[in-house]
Structure formats: structure tokens, C-alpha cells
Amino acid sequence: MLSHHDRTELEKIERTLELSDPDLAAALRDGRRPKSRGLRSAVLIFFDITAVTLLVLGLVLPDPGVTLCGIIALTATVWTHVARHRI
């Protein structure tokens, strides 16, 4: 049996977890595994490689449209990574 102090501390941890990451808290409460982020990471890496390839092709080829698409795609991937790490 837990002491009153231990139960109070566990309730504080539970409230903090519920506020900071409700999906994880629900997964722990229900006994199911949280959603995997492996597929999301693989898709982001694919778009990173595509954006860099577009930029390099645009710089090598005399086509400013491909360069512009590469710059826009690279900017979008950077924003995505920054937003992902802020969460």
C-alpha cells in the first residue's frame, strides 16, 4: 500500500502527464501502445531528400523554376522539422 505522500505525488505526475501529452496518458491508462512515429519520420526523410535533390537539380540545370521549387520544398521541410520538435 502506498503512503498518502506517494499517492499525492503520483496524482501530480498523472495530472502533469495528462496536460503535457494526453495521447500518451490515454495509451497508458487503456493499456495500449502509443502510435508509432516511424512512418512519419520515414516520410519526412523522403521529403528532405526530394527537396535537396530539387534544389541541386535546379542549380545544375538552367531552370529557375526547379530551383524555386527546391527552395520552397526545403523551406517547408525545415518548418516541419522545427514544428515537430517544438511539440
Side-chain angles (χ1 to χ4, degrees):
M1 193 72 184
L2 295 175
S3 69
H4 176 70
H5 175 71
D6 290 340
R7 282 193 305 268
T8 307
E9 291 299 314
L10 284 174
E11 288 171 2
K12 286 181 189 176
I13 292 170
E14 182 181 356
R15 282 192 301 264
T16 304
L17 182 62
E18 188 70 40
L19 291 174
S20 66
D21 194 355
D23 292 336
L24 177 61
L28 291 173
R29 190 179 327 103
D30 299 340
R32 59 181 168 82
R33 299 183 74 173
K35 296 177 185 174
S36 174
R37 296 185 179 173
L39 179 61
R40 185 183 305 168
S41 295
V43 170
L44 283 176
I45 290 171
F46 172 75
F47 282 122
D48 291 342
I49 292 170
T50 304
V52 170
T53 304
L54 276 173
L55 185 60
V56 169
L57 279 176
L59 293 174
V60 171
L61 299 174
D63 189 5
V66 177
T67 306
L68 182 62
C69 287
I71 291 171
I72 291 170
L74 200 57
T75 303
T77 57
V78 168
W79 280 349
T80 304
H81 284 287
V82 169
R84 182 177 177 210
H85 289 292
R86 252 188 221 166
I87 294 175

